[in-house]
Amino acid sequence: MIRVLLDTNAYLRLAKRIRPLLGVTFGQKRYTLTILKQVEDEVFKSARLKFHYPWFTEAEFDKERLSKRIRLSSDEREAIDAATSILRAHVLADTSAYTSHGRSPPSPTDCFLLAFAQVRESILVTDDLGMHLLAKEFDIDIWHGHELLKRMIGAKVISNDLVREIFSALEDNNDLPRSWQEVRHTVFKKLFGLKS
């Protein structure tokens, strides 16, 4: 089994549309989707996220997150905290690298998620370009949200119609990441056709 960890935005973009989402295992490599408590904490601390995603606190979603939450041993937490400190120090040492090309510097929570992926040998799903840059610099496995969808289609966990629906909903909400826009007519050309 390969654990696939969703960051806050990846979870918020997919959880309402792919049911169930967490704990789903798919593909020959047995990818299994999960989130950390830090993702929940990030939503609960943000008035903007709570306003835009009122469904987040509905019992159905609370129950799913709680049942699939990863528990860390004290040794694992210590190793992840140490890795988080290294990643965060790296970001703070060169913030200008993380503020160009549409990127924003990874937050402490972002660094924790990347550290978890590094320590627990997981794949992190995020569309945050700053996190992709940091992951590349530390050789941490990372996917864009659209890469997860592509694998889920390949494993027949979701349908082409659902992918079109997700793209359309994100576009309607003005939340379609640039990386998704770029692959719409290349990676997903069978679904959306070629760009004219």
Side-chain angles (χ1 to χ4, degrees), residues 12 16 42-57:
L12 293 173
K16 195 170 179 191
E42 197 165 54
V43 174
F44 289 133
K45 289 177 186 173
S46 168
R48 182 183 64 81
L49 291 177
K50 285 190 290 188
F51 175 78
H52 286 293
Y53 302 95
W55 55 264
F56 186 84
T57 55

Side-chain angles (χ1 to χ4, degrees), residues 2-196:
I2 298 176
R3 194 180 316 277
V4 178
L5 181 67
L6 303 174
D7 85 335
T8 305
N9 286 323
Y11 176 79
L12 293 173
R13 287 182 179 122
L14 301 176
K16 195 170 179 191
R17 295 173 181 94
I18 300 175
R19 307 295 309 137
L21 178 67
L22 303 179
V24 171
T25 299
F26 63 94
Q28 291 182 341
K29 294 187 177 181
R30 298 185 42 76
Y31 297 118
T32 303
L33 302 175
T34 191
I35 64 169
L36 296 179
K37 184 180 182 301
Q38 284 72 11
V39 167
E40 289 181 290
D41 293 345
E42 197 165 54
V43 174
F44 289 133
K45 289 177 186 173
S46 168
R48 182 183 64 81
L49 291 177
K50 285 190 290 188
F51 175 78
H52 286 293
Y53 302 95
W55 55 264
F56 186 84
T57 55
E58 290 176 10
E60 167 191 3
F61 296 99
D62 277 343
K63 184 178 177 183
E64 182 184 47
R65 288 192 306 269
L66 186 59
S67 70
K68 303 304 177 189
R69 185 180 295 159
I70 296 171
R71 311 267 190 284
L72 299 174
S73 70
S74 57
D75 287 347
E76 286 173 325
R77 181 66 195 228
E78 192 174 309
I80 292 167
D81 285 344
T84 300
S85 294
I86 291 167
L87 292 169
R88 189 73 181 137
H90 185 79
V91 169
L92 294 175
D94 188 13
T95 53
S96 62
Y98 296 95
T99 55
S100 59
H101 307 293
R103 292 187 289 253
S104 56
S107 69
T109 298
D110 295 338
C111 290
F112 186 89
L113 296 176
L114 284 163
F116 177 94
Q118 185 178 49
V119 170
R120 292 283 298 262
E121 297 180 5
S122 306
I123 299 166
L124 178 63
V125 178
T126 181
D127 293 302
D128 183 313
L129 299 178
M131 290 175 75
H132 276 265
L133 176 61
L134 186 57
K136 183 178 178 185
E137 290 174 344
F138 283 85
D139 200 27
I140 299 168
D141 287 331
I142 195 164
W143 294 345
H144 285 281
H146 63 78
E147 292 174 281
L148 172 61
L149 291 183
K150 186 71 175 170
R151 285 173 172 86
M152 293 180 87
I153 288 175
K156 297 183 176 19
V157 175
I158 58 174
S159 68
N160 290 344
D161 287 342
L162 181 57
V163 172
R164 280 190 287 265
E165 181 185 312
I166 290 169
F167 267 81
S168 178
L170 294 179
E171 197 165 46
D172 290 347
N173 293 333
N174 201 25
D175 189 30
L176 190 66
R178 189 178 80 205
S179 59
W180 291 50
Q181 294 170 26
E182 292 168 357
V183 300
R184 179 183 230 156
H185 299 286
T186 56
V187 173
F188 293 101
K189 64 184 172 189
K190 287 183 180 176
L191 300 184
F192 299 105
L194 295 170
K195 224 182 221 181
S196 51

